Amino acid sequence: MATNSMNLEDIPSESLMSELLRRMKCASKPDKRLILIVAGPPGSGKGTQSPIIKDEYCLCHLATGDMLRAAVAAKTPLGIKAKEAMDKGELVSDDLVVGIIDEAMKKPSCKKGFILDGFPRTVGQAQKLDDMLGKQGVKIDKVLDFAIDDAVLEERITGRWIHPASGRTYHTKFAPPKVPGLDDVTGEPLVQRKDDTAAVLKSRLDAFHKQTQPVIDYYSEKGIVAKLHAEKPQKEVTDEVKKGPPKKLRNSMDFYSCFEYTFGFIVMPLLFLAQISAVVCSSIGDDYDT
Ligand code: AP5
């Protein structure tokens, strides 16, 4: 029987250690489940900024576009249904995306909350999301609106290059890789998305203005939208993004960050030393016994 389980022995020690440290760091974060939506037109920077917010608040990053592209590549029934609309720059049906998001939200990595990137994209999806969250007794904390002029987007979209395995994104002009065409970390080749052409961008923008802008208006009426100046350089957008989440949570983060550093830099080395002492002393004990 095929299984999805991964053999831990095959994972490099550095990856295991960094995952362990990440989990320890996240264990000290508040248990309040933070739910953020990043909304904006194609190329506005949602996928660039989401990993930064994800790391800062220990959230999971749920990007419907990435999930759908993975399904298309794997030729799953979902991927086969979604492919035609995606190639044309149109939206796939609400039922398909609502199903994948409902499932994805249950992942253990989403325990502290999640960032919804590319979802909801229609008012129908937004209403379904409200129902799903209502059943779990939670609600959306903030919608980060990546506001930007359409004229800037063609250059961003046509210059984008992606490392498919990690999702790392580059731009020939704004965020070039160290070696053209290769991922900075793995040295593997970068690729361009099939829908990242000027012609398909027109349909994607059309879908954004007709179907997704009303979603931002829907959340504005609820008073939870934070508008960002997404045309600014990446670093400046990151600074604005960090001010987006609710103030109460940001303040509590200061205490937790302090705790995390104290724990990481003082307690962890002591534990490590204690472990080494235990190993050394037990081997001396063995010698003594024999
Ligand atoms: P999806 O994958 O969600 O694409 P999108 O919304 O069109 O967004 P992008 O990923 O293109 O843009 P981004 O804002 O993430 O830009 P990025 O940060 O990479 O959706 C694809 C398709 O899937 C849809 O068309 C639809 O068919 C389907 N789909 C998905 N979700 C759906 C849903 N809920 N319902 C129905 N259908 C759905 O930035 C772009 C480039 O600019 C990068 O190269 C980056 O380096 C650069 N850059 C970023 N920020 C800056 C900056 N501040 N200054 C200069 N350059 C920058």
Side-chain angles (χ1 to χ4, degrees):
M1 190 180 75
T3 160
N4 284 331
S5 66
M6 190 179 270
N7 189 353
L8 291 180
E9 287 171 8
D10 294 334
I11 300 175
S13 305
E14 309 82 64
S15 309
L16 280 176
M17 273 311 283
S18 72
E19 173 58 14
L20 193 66
L21 287 172
R22 190 195 66 79
R23 287 192 185 205
M24 286 172 65
K25 172 186 140 183
C26 292
S28 63
K29 300 285 186 200
D31 263 339
K32 182 186 179 317
R33 216 167 173 219
L34 180 64
I35 301 174
L36 299 176
I37 291 176
V38 290
S44 57
K46 308 179 295 291
T48 301
Q49 300 294 338
S50 292
I52 300 169
I53 320 174
K54 171 188 169 234
D55 289 344
E56 178 107 3
Y57 297 105
C58 290
L59 310 176
C60 67
H61 176 202
L62 304 178
T64 40
D66 292 346
M67 295 177 202
L68 290 168
R69 275 184 291 279
V72 171
K75 296 194 170 78
T76 65
L78 167 74
I80 292 164
K81 284 185 198 151
K83 187 176 184 309
E84 197 186 330
M86 291 177 78
D87 285 349
K88 286 196 266 180
E90 293 168 4
L91 298 188
V92 308
S93 79
D94 285 359
D95 288 344
L96 287 185
V97 278
V98 168
I100 54 173
I101 280 290
D102 195 18
E103 211 35 59
M105 286 191 305
K106 296 171 190 155
K107 290 194 298 188
S109 57
C110 300
K111 197 175 145 225
K112 300 276 179 188
F114 45 87
I115 307 162
L116 293 170
D117 172 359
F119 180 89
R121 254 176 154 102
T122 64
V123 173
Q125 290 178 18
Q127 287 162 341
K128 285 185 177 150
L129 175 65
D130 284 348
D131 290 347
M132 285 190 279
L133 297 178
K135 281 182 196 147
Q136 299 173 30
V138 288
K139 60 184 173 57
I140 296 149
D141 291 286
K142 228 23 168 208
V143 176
L144 304 179
D145 173 15
F146 284 65
I148 190 164
D149 199 287
D150 283 3
V152 184
L153 298 173
E154 185 176 321
E155 186 180 26
R156 285 211 191 165
I157 284 292
T158 52
R160 170 165 59 185
W161 287 83
I162 293 165
H163 176 240
S166 66
R168 275 184 286 277
T169 300
Y170 299 87
H171 191 280
T172 42
K173 179 171 167 190
F174 304 118
K178 288 178 194 143
V179 179
L182 299 180
D183 177 46
D184 285 353
V185 179
T186 61
E188 288 165 351
L190 302 175
V191 298
Q192 280 199 295
R193 263 168 56 176
K194 207 174 169 193
D195 59 348
D196 274 353
T197 63
V200 180
L201 176 63
K202 285 200 179 73
S203 326
R204 289 161 67 191
L205 280 173
D206 195 44
F208 172 77
H209 290 296
K210 286 193 183 130
Q211 292 165 279
T212 309
Q213 185 56 51
V215 175
I216 299 173
D217 301 339
Y218 169 86
Y219 290 121
S220 292
E221 281 165 26
K222 295 176 187 275
I224 54 169
V225 173
K227 194 169 177 168
L228 308 173
H229 299 87
E231 76 289 348
K232 287 186 180 170
Q234 269 183 37
K235 172 78 186 58
E236 289 177 39
V237 180
T238 302
D239 293 341
E240 282 194 26
V241 159
K242 286 184 176 172
K243 292 181 196 147
K247 196 164 183 287
K248 191 169 157 241
L249 190 88
R250 276 190 277 127
N251 288 343
S252 66
M253 293 300 289
D254 294 341
F255 166 78
Y256 282 101
S257 301
C258 169
F259 177 80
E260 162 196 317
Y261 284 119
T262 317
F263 190 82
F265 290 112
I266 299 176
V267 181
M268 278 297 285
L270 287 178
L271 284 176
F272 186 62
L273 279 176
Q275 222 176 358
I276 291 180
S277 311
V279 172
V280 171
C281 295
S282 67
S283 71
I284 290 171
D286 289 348
D287 289 348
Y288 185 76
D289 288 343
T290 51

